[in-house]
Amino acid sequence: MKDIVLLGATGSIGRQTLDVLNSHRDAFRLIGATARQSGEALAALCADHPLEQVAVSLEHQALFDRYPHITCYDVTQIDKLVAHAPKTAVIVNALLGSAGLKPTLTALKRGMTVLLANKETLVVGGPLIKAALAEGGGAIVPIDSEHAALAHCLRGRCVEDIDKIIITASGGSFRDMARAALAEVTVSDALKHPNWSMGAKITLDSATMMNKVFEVIEAHVLFDLPYEKIEAVLHRESIVHAMIHYQDGNILAHLGPADMRIPILSALQGESCLPYRSVFDITKIGSLHFEPIHEGRYPLFDLGMVVARAGGLHLATMNAANEVAIELFLAGRIQYLDIEAAVVMALDHFPNEPVTTLEALLARDQAVRTYISEHFQEGDSR
Ligand SMILES: NC(=O)c1ccc[n+]([C@@H]2O[C@H](COP(=O)([O-])OP(=O)(O)OC[C@H]3O[C@@H](n4cnc5c(N)ncnc54)[C@H](OP(=O)(O)O)[C@@H]3O)[C@@H](O)[C@H]2O)c1
């Protein structure tokens, strides 16, 4: 029986993780869970799971008064919850944005295993994560579908044998739209992903292709591969999630339906093979298409790859500007193309420096959030 602590239990990945846990109650026990604003949904888990710890925003904490055996932390202190979890528990990090970094670092420094969906952790804190892995002897298992696919294709082989890896991108909500039309798109247009049903932010990141930049960085950190060996291509069907070209000429690809429960179960089960019925009929798919990501089509992809290669605090700058801009877009306060503008503005304003400490990184993250929020509050963006 594995003890599971689920960070971000009320989000898209969190809820799908709960589906998987509920289907395998003989293998997993949920002992910790967090939410930010979805206090009721988090409290509902208490009746069904042997929770020992939760974290939620202050205004929802009274919901847990009737469970005196459960320790309730503020949502900003998820790292404390992780620090008090049994070392043998597995952390599933399904948090959104750079808020996932501190809990991941805490878990890794304690030598725990983190099943990671929260890619922003690796984008902003790659060097700190690597140091924490070395210090604590913990492990990261990817949940992101492309990286879970790569992990499958790597089984029985080693990273040194890789010639290059390819991760695929659907092209997002606006893949068939001329760039000129993007100025007018609405939030509801942007949230219509052609293949996947996901949280709002990652759906937006897929539309701008920032998500693919994040995934390239994620692959770079997770598999210790140089950027020259990581390629992203457009693949509109989202059936092949990733492939590895080995130096001996073999190419292994991972196929599957767009269903995150599959990589979630893979990460949770480790070496076992628990049953899950996925709906997949290759004869109904017909054909698969692959094409390059043309320069200029997704400006945030082009820019993001330059930032990725440069490394340093610019990664935290890019991520924080993107997070704030997406929140503002979802709130109807800025236009879709302002997301790009916000990222460019932040990268122009803040200098790039090496990532030395967590404190410096978090200070940059906060400074960028303030800078972008104030800029758009003043209404001088258009
Ligand atoms: N969704 C997918 O299919 C998918 C696929 C691959 C990778 N990912 C990655 O997985 C992560 C989660 O994505 P998602 O789509 O599941 O997001 P989501 O639906 O927005 O859920 C985010 C979860 O984190 C909580 N949360 C949000 N902001 C927080 C903060 N500042 N501090 C603490 N908790 C916070 C939310 O709580 P409330 O519900 O209370 O707001 C919710 O439980 C992202 O990094 C994403 O890129 C997602």
Side-chain angles (χ1 to χ4, degrees), residues 281-319:
D281 181 347
I282 193 84
T283 62
K284 293 215 169 91
I285 292 164
S287 43
L288 299 175
H289 300 82
F290 301 90
E291 54 180 305
I293 301 174
H294 292 294
E295 209 178 325
R297 175 63 185 83
Y298 294 97
L300 276 187
F301 180 77
D302 302 341
L303 175 64
M305 287 312 303
V306 173
V307 174
R309 287 195 171 87
L313 277 182
H314 256 2
L315 287 165
T317 303
M318 174 169 79
N319 177 71

Side-chain angles (χ1 to χ4, degrees), residues 8 10-13 36-38 95 117-120 144 198-199:
T10 51
S12 162
I13 291 290
R36 184 171 55 170
Q37 295 302 336
S38 311
L95 295 169
N118 172 247
K119 58 190 87 183
E120 294 90 344
D144 214 355
M198 308 186 283

Side-chain angles (χ1 to χ4, degrees), residues 11-62:
S12 162
I13 291 290
R15 291 190 306 270
Q16 292 178 85
T17 303
L18 288 168
D19 287 349
V20 174
L21 297 180
N22 288 334
S23 308
H24 297 288
R25 284 182 174 258
D26 47 344
F28 307 113
R29 179 169 54 194
L30 185 68
I31 60 161
T34 79
R36 184 171 55 170
Q37 295 302 336
S38 311
E40 295 282 356
L42 186 69
L45 296 178
C46 298
D48 217 18
H49 297 276
L51 290 178
E52 295 164 5
Q53 304 191 90
V54 296
V56 69
S57 296
L58 223 49
E59 63 268 33
H60 299 285
Q61 290 185 5

Side-chain angles (χ1 to χ4, degrees), residues 53-56 61 71-75 77-78 80-81 84:
Q53 304 191 90
V54 296
V56 69
Q61 290 185 5
T71 309
C72 187
Y73 296 89
D74 183 60
V75 70
Q77 298 189 319
I78 294 177
K80 288 205 176 135
L81 181 155
H84 287 101

Side-chain angles (χ1 to χ4, degrees), residues 7-16 34-39 41 56-57 75-76 78 93-100 116-121 143-146 196-203 205 211 214-215 218 260 323 327 369:
L7 313 182
T10 51
S12 162
I13 291 290
R15 291 190 306 270
Q16 292 178 85
T34 79
R36 184 171 55 170
Q37 295 302 336
S38 311
V56 69
S57 296
V75 70
T76 55
I78 294 177
N93 185 344
L95 295 169
L96 191 69
S98 59
L116 191 69
N118 172 247
K119 58 190 87 183
E120 294 90 344
T121 275
I143 284 183
D144 214 355
S145 56
E146 295 75 3
W196 293 90
S197 168
M198 308 186 283
K201 182 193 178 256
I202 186 174
T203 304
D205 281 340
N211 183 50
F214 286 179
E215 290 178 2
E218 195 181 354
M260 286 305 296
E323 280 192 34
E327 276 171 23
R369 285 170 194 273

Side-chain angles (χ1 to χ4, degrees), residues 157-173:
R157 315 266 327 219
C158 49
V159 171
E160 291 69 33
D161 295 341
I162 293 176
D163 185 29
K164 71 169 174 178
I165 63 174
I166 294 181
I167 58 176
T168 60
S170 68
S173 313

